[in-house]
Amino acid sequence: MATTRMYFAAWLAVLWTAGALNAQTTFEATTNARRVLENSYFEVTFTLSNAQGAQFSPPSFEAFVIVSGPSRSISTSMINGAVSRTQAYSYTLKPRRTGTFTIGSASIKVSRTTLRTQPLTIEVVKGSKDAPGAEEQVFIRAEPSTETAYVGQQILLDYKLYTTLDVESFNILQESGYQGFFAQDVRRFDGRVMREVINGRQYTTKVLKRIALFPQQTGQLTVEPMNVQLGVVKEGANRRRSFFFTPDVRAYPAATEAVNIEVLPLPDGAPESFTGAVGDYQIRPDLSAQTATTDDALTLILTVRGTGDIKRVEAPELDLPDGFEVYEPKVLEEANLELNASIDGKKVFEYLLLPKEAGNYEFTPKLTYFLPDSSKYVTLTGGPFLLYIKPGTGRPTRSSSLSNTEDIGPLMLSPVLHNVRSPFLGSALFWSLMAIPLLLFGGLLGWRHQRAKQSNVDPQERRMQAARGVAQERLSQANNHLKAGDNRAFYDEVSKAILGYVGDKLQIPRSSMSKSSLRQRLQELDLDGGLIETVMSIVQDCEMALFAGQADTGKMQAVYERATQAIAGMEKAV
């Protein structure tokens, strides 16, 4: 038994050491309030992560009274095989006077190194003498990370509770409407209880809910109020909760105010390599091989990750040498993941590369994205990749193709002609062989003429010509989603088909189109009023379904049929 315990302890030590080697050691100072009232309390915590420390030395708290502390705590956790360890020292402090004060650095020794925290700045203010009214005792605010954004940029919206009362529970009665946004819940965020001073009053605050919003159109978008019912502990009631006792609470209604977000169009001057990414992005290219022959096919996997709306990111074009043929890239994976209390999008593209000529080549995958913080277009590069292509065995050589030509004779079907040998020169086989090079040469000239003609076509004109084909392809994808029962993907494809068709015909980027301007754009196509109303109703149905999560298969089938007829009707009219 003792031996088993010894092995188990040794295994834990090895596991923790391996995890600590892979984790970063940090020593940080945090507080639950940066602004406090003169006669209130707050906490300061010094936390060492992923290391064992000794000789902890606190800073001077001369401007504060130490109510309690230091309280030491140690915790160890293991998530997905990664072990983390924290060692914390906490103090409860009370200000001696008003003003702005700095809490200096704490220090601790880790092995032979001394780590120090960054100083903290605390503002102490006088409290309000007026008793707060009922509406000021507890309220909820909707607080966006920014009130000005670009199409496709991520906005984090926090619903935060402010209270001077004891709130036992909350229940969301009516969710806010997110018209014009793609919205996704963020479930892992900082939900700690904090303290904030507003208008001379100290409130206990807590983030109740976080939403990631991605604007889908330009203009002023409004997040409607959210209605919440709070469970507030009655005054004078016993606040202690136990297995047999629940505090006596009263229902208290609360609602946020509407929030307006100004959504800007992307600035002009986007490089040709820009494919819709807005936010902060990273790329990782992986090539299957760098040495191959003209018989082989190479695979490039391009992984794109970023903070923006990943659905809007299209596959970047590869700037490959002339000796390669590239198939249309496929999307292998598209997902939204939670990372650092926000949404991190991931999209994986697969490119199939076919080398046609032997030689040494070089190419560099690129991704251009728009960075809202600097309002600039940024181009990322991965690589470069050096390719060494050798001749393959699939090409017949000149000697092998002509070596047996003289031995080819006509097929003898009659025994009467057994001794008769028709001359090869002037025969049908002779003229057929003579015609093959001419036909191939003529075909090559025609192909080159067609390629030159296409290259001279204005890209915007080509986009207009291909509008119907692109829309029909999206409707085909929507039909597949309909059969699979994926309502969100279905409505998203139908919406892209309609808006994309109108945008391609009028040479307008989709990000510059909004529901309010769509009617005007349709009128520019000289469509009749009935067809315009049909298109507007389809877009309205798609928006409502995307934001409300409708899953009526019968309605989805009707929307698909109406969209197909609308595309056909617009094509005839235009």
Side-chain angles (χ1 to χ4, degrees):
M1 186 68 177
T3 304
T4 303
R5 290 179 179 176
M6 183 177 64
Y7 282 133
F8 181 70
W11 177 82
L12 284 178
V14 171
L15 186 62
W16 181 87
T17 303
L21 289 174
N22 293 327
Q24 183 179 6
T25 299
T26 59
F27 188 38
E28 298 177 323
T30 58
T31 178
N32 65 347
R34 291 278 187 171
R35 196 171 188 226
V36 299
L37 296 181
E38 184 178 10
N39 294 315
S40 63
Y41 303 90
F42 67 100
E43 292 183 358
V44 174
T45 303
F46 304 95
T47 305
L48 175 66
S49 301
N50 303 313
Q52 286 184 316
Q55 301 181 25
F56 169 75
S57 177
S60 172
F61 298 114
E62 60 181 354
F64 306 91
V65 175
I66 300 178
V67 178
S68 65
S71 300
R72 184 182 178 186
S73 63
I74 297 177
S75 64
T76 303
S77 63
M78 183 169 60
I79 302 176
N80 296 329
V83 180
S84 61
R85 182 182 188 275
T86 60
Q87 179 178 332
Y89 301 85
S90 299
Y91 293 83
T92 300
L93 306 177
K94 179 181 179 181
R96 295 181 184 273
R97 57 188 179 275
T98 60
T100 301
F101 306 98
T102 298
I103 298 176
S105 301
S107 65
I108 195 170
K109 279 196 172 182
V110 177
S111 298
R112 297 181 179 180
T113 304
T114 299
L115 303 180
R116 300 182 185 278
T117 62
Q118 293 294 325
L120 293 174
T121 301
I122 304 296
E123 183 183 3
V124 182
V125 298
K126 286 187 175 293
S128 175
K129 296 181 180 180
D130 299 330
E135 69 280 358
E136 297 176 325
Q137 290 180 319
V138 56
F139 57 90
I140 296 178
R141 285 181 176 176
E143 301 179 351
S145 57
T146 179
E147 294 183 353
T148 303
Y150 293 91
V151 174
Q153 178 183 347
Q154 181 173 178
I155 304 170
L156 294 176
L157 181 66
D158 287 342
Y159 292 100
K160 184 185 286 188
L161 170 68
Y162 292 79
T163 181
T164 60
L165 306 176
D166 189 3
V167 176
E168 178 69 18
S169 62
F170 74 95
N171 181 32
I172 298 177
L173 301 178
Q174 183 179 6
E175 182 83 15
S176 300
Y178 304 109
Q179 192 77 12
F181 295 95
F182 169 68
Q184 181 166 342
D185 281 314
V186 179
R187 303 189 182 279
R188 292 187 292 272
F189 55 87
D190 188 358
R192 294 179 298 170
V193 174
M194 306 292 287
R195 293 179 182 176
E196 297 183 32
V197 175
I198 300 177
N199 298 328
R201 297 190 181 92
Q202 181 168 278
Y203 289 87
T204 299
T205 66
K206 179 180 175 66
V207 176
L208 303 179
K209 184 180 180 66
R210 171 170 286 189
I211 297 287
L213 301 177
F214 300 89
Q216 301 295 298
Q217 61 192 51
T218 58
Q220 181 171 289
L221 303 180
T222 301
V223 178
E224 300 298 332
M226 182 176 73
N227 294 307
V228 179
Q229 179 175 285
L230 303 173
V232 178
V233 177
K234 290 184 178 180
E235 189 174 353
N238 190 340
R239 300 186 180 186
R240 296 185 61 186
R241 171 184 285 273
S242 67
F243 183 77
F244 301 99
F245 176 77
T246 300
D248 190 10
V249 299
R250 61 183 175 90
Y252 187 95
T256 64
E257 294 184 355
V259 175
N260 294 323
I261 305 292
E262 187 68 27
V263 183
L264 307 175
L266 298 181
D268 296 331
E272 293 183 359
S273 54
F274 177 68
T275 57
V278 178
D280 194 2
Y281 282 82
Q282 298 176 340
I283 61 172
R284 190 188 71 205
D286 294 300
L287 189 63
S288 59
Q290 292 184 259
T291 302
T293 70
T294 54
D295 299 332
D296 301 326
L298 302 175
T299 301
L300 175 69
I301 303 296
L302 183 64
T303 302
V304 179
R305 298 194 67 159
T307 60
D309 187 357
I310 200 67
K311 301 192 310 300
R312 308 180 70 87
V313 181
E314 302 292 338
E317 290 190 11
L318 295 182
D319 187 13
L320 286 171
D322 294 336
F324 282 83
E325 180 180 349
V326 184
Y327 280 78
E328 188 73 18
K330 297 190 302 182
V331 177
L332 299 182
E333 181 183 354
E334 180 178 313
N336 284 319
L337 311 171
E338 287 193 27
L339 181 66
N340 299 327
S342 62
I343 297 299
D344 185 70
K346 177 182 179 182
K347 205 165 189 176
V348 181
F349 300 99
E350 181 187 50
Y351 299 82
L352 186 63
L353 316 180
L354 301 180
K356 294 299 183 182
E357 298 178 5
N360 298 334
Y361 301 94
E362 178 180 329
F363 79 99
T364 303
K366 297 179 181 179
L367 173 73
T368 298
Y369 64 92
F370 179 76
L371 185 61
D373 291 343
S374 61
S375 299
K376 294 181 179 179
Y377 292 95
V378 179
T379 299
L380 291 176
T381 59
F385 290 103
L386 301 177
L387 300 178
Y388 306 96
I389 307 302
K390 302 176 182 178
T393 59
R395 295 183 181 180
T397 61
R398 181 176 180 84
S399 58
S400 63
S401 61
L402 298 178
S403 59
N404 296 324
T405 302
E406 296 178 355
D407 297 331
I408 299 177
L411 181 64
M412 302 300 164
L413 300 178
S414 174
V416 178
L417 302 176
H418 181 71
N419 294 323
V420 179
R421 183 180 179 92
S422 298
F424 174 70
L425 189 64
S427 65
L429 180 59
F430 170 80
W431 291 114
S432 297
L433 293 175
M434 288 293 293
I436 288 176
L438 296 176
L439 292 175
L440 291 176
F441 181 72
L444 179 61
L445 289 178
W447 177 76
R448 287 189 173 181
H449 177 72
Q450 183 67 19
R451 288 290 299 272
K453 183 178 179 181
Q454 290 180 355
S455 62
N456 292 330
V457 176
D458 182 67
Q460 298 290 348
E461 182 68 24
R462 190 183 304 139
R463 182 181 167 193
M464 292 176 60
Q465 296 173 359
R468 183 179 183 183
V470 174
Q472 288 177 335
E473 176 64 24
R474 290 199 179 278
L475 288 179
S476 176
Q477 292 293 331
N479 191 31
N480 294 335
H481 295 313
L482 172 63
K483 295 176 181 177
D486 190 345
N487 61 304
R488 178 172 290 276
F490 167 78
Y491 284 109
D492 187 49
E493 286 294 340
V494 172
S495 177
K496 288 180 179 178
I498 295 294
L499 296 178
Y501 178 85
V502 177
D504 290 345
K505 282 296 184 182
L506 294 176
Q507 302 180 17
I508 300 172
R510 187 183 172 194
S511 60
S512 300
M513 296 184 61
S514 63
K515 180 183 169 185
S516 58
S517 64
L518 178 59
R519 185 182 298 275
Q520 177 183 352
R521 302 300 188 186
L522 293 172
Q523 291 172 351
E524 293 178 11
L525 293 175
D526 294 330
L527 303 180
D528 64 72
L531 185 55
I532 291 178
E533 293 303 324
T534 299
V535 174
M536 293 299 298
S537 66
I538 293 173
V539 174
Q540 176 71 20
D541 289 344
C542 291
E543 284 190 353
M544 292 298 296
L546 285 171
F547 303 132
Q550 298 176 3
D552 187 342
T553 305
K555 186 173 182 179
M556 291 167 63
Q557 182 65 40
V559 169
Y560 172 76
E561 294 175 356
R562 288 162 53 210
T564 304
Q565 296 171 0
I567 294 292
M570 287 189 289
E571 186 67 18
K572 290 181 180 179
V574 175

